[in-house]
């Protein structure tokens, strides 16, 4: 059959795997992993493998620790938390505003639907028709 994967194809089975469940880790655990990486005894990849973590996650934790300690530019963890809280509040306020104001706002017209009224109270469509 055209377009289907051959039976037993190992590279095709990888796409069929279920995604890994989202896991959360305590700040203390992350700090411990970052400290192991900073010691330099083992590579980041080896530490990730030893603790059943993804290498990308460990590298992100190390990078964030460097930002928090001032070694690298970027948003600190506290600034990230504050930004996330402000965005949540902004979203909530926007939704509240839309629900309270939305019923009072006129519905949007598509271009060409109906006549638009200008300063003199005259409809544009009628002016155009009068000229023709």
């Amino acid at each position: 059959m055209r377009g289907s994967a051959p039976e037993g194809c190992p590279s095709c089975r990888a796409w069929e795997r279920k995604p890994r469940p989202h896991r959360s880790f305590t700040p203390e655990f992350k700090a411990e992993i970052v400290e192991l990486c900073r010691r330099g005894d083992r590579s980041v990849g080896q530490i990730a493998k030893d603790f059943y973590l993804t290498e990308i996650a460990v590298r992100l934790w190390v990078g964030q620790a460097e930002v928090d300690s001032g070694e690298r530019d970027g948003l600190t963890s506290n600034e990230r938390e504050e930004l996330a809280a402000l965005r949540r509040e902004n979203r909530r306020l926007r939704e509240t505003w839309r629900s309270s104001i939305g019923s009072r706002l006129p519905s949007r017209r598509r271009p060409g639907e109906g006549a638009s009224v200008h300063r003199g109270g005259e409809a544009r469509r009628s002016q155009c028709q009068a000229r023709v």
Side-chain angles (χ1 to χ4, degrees):
M1 181 198 273
R2 188 175 184 184
S4 65
E7 290 295 321
C9 176
S11 62
C12 298
R13 279 195 305 250
W15 290 101
E16 297 172 1
R17 288 186 195 144
K18 292 182 181 178
R20 182 185 294 204
H22 180 76
R23 301 181 296 170
S24 59
F25 302 96
T26 64
E28 294 80 19
F29 178 75
K30 291 178 183 181
E32 182 183 333
I33 297 298
V34 168
E35 182 57 35
L36 289 173
C37 292
R38 286 186 172 171
R39 274 193 223 150
D41 301 349
R42 295 178 279 177
S43 69
V44 172
Q46 186 59 49
I47 292 170
K49 187 183 277 187
D50 292 346
F51 287 89
Y52 302 102
L53 302 167
T54 63
E55 188 173 343
I56 293 170
V58 174
R59 289 188 186 282
L60 287 173
W61 297 347
V62 170
Q64 188 61 54
E66 290 173 354
V67 170
D68 290 346
S69 66
E71 298 171 38
R72 187 194 295 184
D73 288 338
L75 292 177
T76 65
S77 296
N78 291 337
E79 291 169 335
R80 284 181 181 276
E81 289 174 17
E82 182 182 5
L83 181 60
L86 290 170
R87 285 179 173 164
R88 277 192 304 273
E89 181 182 5
N90 194 4
R91 187 179 318 115
R92 184 186 58 79
L93 291 172
R94 191 179 309 117
E95 289 170 0
T96 303
W97 180 83
R98 283 184 182 150
S99 65
S100 67
I101 288 290
S103 60
R104 295 183 288 178
L105 293 176
S107 61
R108 292 189 133 189
R109 289 183 291 118
R110 292 184 180 166
E113 289 182 358
S116 58
V117 178
H118 294 281
R119 288 185 190 178
E122 304 161 327
R124 187 175 195 188
R125 184 172 283 168
S126 61
Q127 288 177 349
C128 294
Q129 290 173 349
R131 291 183 188 157
V132 176

